[in-house]
Amino acid sequence: MKVLFVGIGSIGTRHLKNLHTVASERNIELDVTALRSSQRQLPEETAKLLNRQILELDETIYDIAFITNPTTLHYNALKELKGKSKFYFIEKPIFEDSIYDIEKLGLTDKNAYIACPMRYCGAYMKLKEVLKDKKPFSVRIICSSYLPGWRPDQDYRKNYSAIKALGGGVTIDLIHELDYMTDLFGFPIESYNFKGTYSNLEIDSDDLSVYIARYKDKLCEVHLDYFGREYRRTCEVFVADGTIEAEFGIGSVKMPDGTIINCNEDANMRFVREMRNVFDIMQGKAENINTPTKANKVLALTLGKEA
C-alpha cells in the first residue's frame, strides 16, 4: 500500500504509528512517504517508519494520503494533491473558516474520510448504545481544559491553538463536541453561538465558546473553553428517569439509577479503532461515517454559516 503523509507533527506521527499497527494486524505491506515543508530532522522513531521523505510531489499515485498538516493548509494541500491519491484521510476540521466546494478538490463522499476520533471513544460508544432506548429532554456538553497544560514542555503562546491567524481558537479546536452532538441527535433546527477571549491567557484566539442548539424535542448546551484548570469532558443527557452522564476523561457512563459503567481504556485506543475503520471503508467493508459533505455541514454549524 502506497501511503503519503502531508504533515508529520504530533497528530501525523500518531496516525503514522497506528497505520503501521493496523497494517501489521492485516498483513499489509506499507510504502510510506512524507511530503515535508522543510529538511528539519525528524525524531529517529518517526523517521524509521517512513520509506522516504520528499520536498516536492512526483508522479506517484498513492492508495491513501493523510492530510495532517495545520488546518489552514488543508485546502492548498488537497488542491495540490488532486488526482494523486485514491483515498484521503483528512484531519479534523476539514477546513478552517470557509466551506469549500469539495468536488473542485477531487473529493467525494466515497474517496475521503474526515477524522472524528471521539466517536470511537469507549465511553462515547457506550453512551450512544444506551441512548437508543431513551428520549432526551435536554443535553449539556462540556469540554474544559487548560491550554498551557496540553503540552507542558512547550510555550503555549506559540501553539497554533493560541494564534488566530493559524486557525487557532477553542471553537474550531474542539469541533469534536459539535461533531458528536450531530452524530447522536442529528443537526439542530437552529443554533446560537457566543465566543471570545475572556481569560488571562496570553492568546489572541477565542478561549471560550458557548452554543445553544434547538431541536424539535430538546435543547442542547455546548460549553468549550481553554482555561479550565481541571480537565472536564462530559456529556449529560436528561431523560425521564434521571440523568445519564458520560465522563470521557475517565472513561465511564453513569446511569440514572447510579450504576457506573466502566469504559476506561488507553487514550490511543480510539485512534486505533478509527484506523481499522478507515481500512474497512477503503476496502468497501464499512460505511463512511464522516464524509466531506457531513464534515462541511458540521463546520458550517460550528461557524454559523450555510453549508
Side-chain angles (χ1 to χ4, degrees):
M1 178 185 289
K2 289 188 177 297
V3 182
L4 177 70
F5 272 81
V6 182
I8 204 74
S10 59
I11 190 62
T13 300
R14 181 190 288 275
H15 289 314
L16 175 62
K17 291 177 180 178
N18 291 332
L19 172 74
H20 276 273
T21 296
V22 176
S24 178
E25 290 175 354
R26 304 189 179 196
N27 296 316
I28 295 174
E29 185 175 345
L30 297 177
D31 182 351
V32 186
T33 299
L35 176 62
R36 306 289 309 283
S37 59
S38 74
Q39 295 183 338
R40 177 180 60 85
Q41 188 171 356
L42 292 172
E44 184 179 350
E45 65 173 353
T46 301
K48 70 181 183 181
L49 298 176
L50 301 170
N51 294 84
R52 64 178 184 143
Q53 300 178 43
I54 59 176
L55 295 174
E56 294 182 1
L57 287 171
D58 53 26
E59 299 304 311
T60 304
I61 302 298
Y62 297 92
D63 294 298
I64 181 171
F66 286 80
I67 311 302
T68 49
N69 54 357
T71 307
T72 52
L73 303 178
H74 283 188
Y75 176 81
N76 286 335
L78 288 165
K79 188 176 179 180
E80 186 178 3
L81 273 170
K82 184 178 180 179
K84 291 187 175 294
S85 184
K86 300 173 185 176
F87 195 88
Y88 299 86
F89 178 109
I90 305 170
E91 187 51 47
K92 66 84 189 168
I94 183 170
F95 301 118
E96 177 200 358
D97 57 5
S98 300
I99 312 301
Y100 292 106
D101 185 338
I102 59 173
E103 291 185 6
K104 289 184 178 180
L105 295 171
L107 302 179
T108 71
D109 286 350
K110 292 185 177 181
N111 76 355
Y113 168 90
I114 317 307
C116 54
M118 275 295 292
R119 297 202 224 168
Y120 299 89
C121 165
Y124 175 77
M125 293 190 295
K126 176 56 68 174
L127 174 65
K128 189 172 183 179
E129 177 187 326
V130 166
L131 289 179
K132 287 180 180 179
D133 300 320
K134 301 289 184 179
K135 181 183 183 304
F137 304 145
S138 175
V139 181
R140 183 163 55 202
I141 292 171
I142 297 176
C143 188
S144 175
S145 60
Y146 190 51
L147 182 61
W150 285 20
R151 300 178 181 89
D153 58 332
Q154 299 178 17
D155 185 344
Y156 77 91
R157 294 167 295 187
K158 297 179 181 179
N159 187 310
Y160 85 91
S161 297
I163 304 169
K164 186 176 181 180
L166 295 181
V170 75
T171 302
I172 290 295
D173 235 358
L174 299 180
I175 196 172
H176 291 293
E177 269 54 36
L178 285 188
D179 175 77
Y180 83 66
M181 181 187 81
T182 61
D183 183 51
L184 287 176
F185 310 114
F187 285 86
I189 297 170
E190 60 181 337
S191 69
Y192 298 90
N193 174 230
F194 299 93
K195 62 184 178 182
T197 309
Y198 295 97
S199 75
N200 59 358
L201 292 175
E202 296 177 48
I203 67 177
D204 70 355
S205 61
D206 51 287
D207 60 12
L208 176 63
S209 191
V210 177
Y211 292 85
I212 295 290
R214 182 174 71 87
Y215 291 82
K216 183 178 179 181
D217 58 353
K218 70 179 88 48
L219 290 178
C220 185
E221 310 161 57
V222 181
H223 171 106
L224 313 171
D225 76 59
Y226 275 156
F227 48 74
R229 291 302 184 104
E230 183 178 346
Y231 178 68
R232 185 178 179 194
R233 197 166 208 172
T234 62
C235 179
E236 298 173 279
V237 184
F238 298 84
V239 295
D241 55 343
T243 306
I244 301 166
E245 183 174 2
E247 286 271 5
F248 302 118
I250 62 176
S252 68
V253 176
K254 185 178 181 180
M255 300 298 289
D257 63 2
T259 301
I260 297 178
I261 303 171
N262 183 11
C263 309
N264 189 33
E265 61 187 2
D266 184 87
N268 190 55
M269 193 63 228
R270 69 190 65 175
F271 296 96
V272 173
R273 288 193 189 103
E274 181 172 46
M275 188 65 68
R276 288 171 179 155
N277 197 48
V278 169
F279 272 66
D280 289 342
I281 293 169
M282 291 176 64
Q283 295 169 357
K285 298 177 181 178
E287 176 188 359
N288 187 347
I289 65 170
N290 205 24
T291 65
T293 298
K294 169 75 188 299
N296 255 345
K297 286 186 68 178
V298 172
L299 180 60
L301 175 64
T302 302
L303 300 173
K305 296 184 177 183
E306 292 291 330

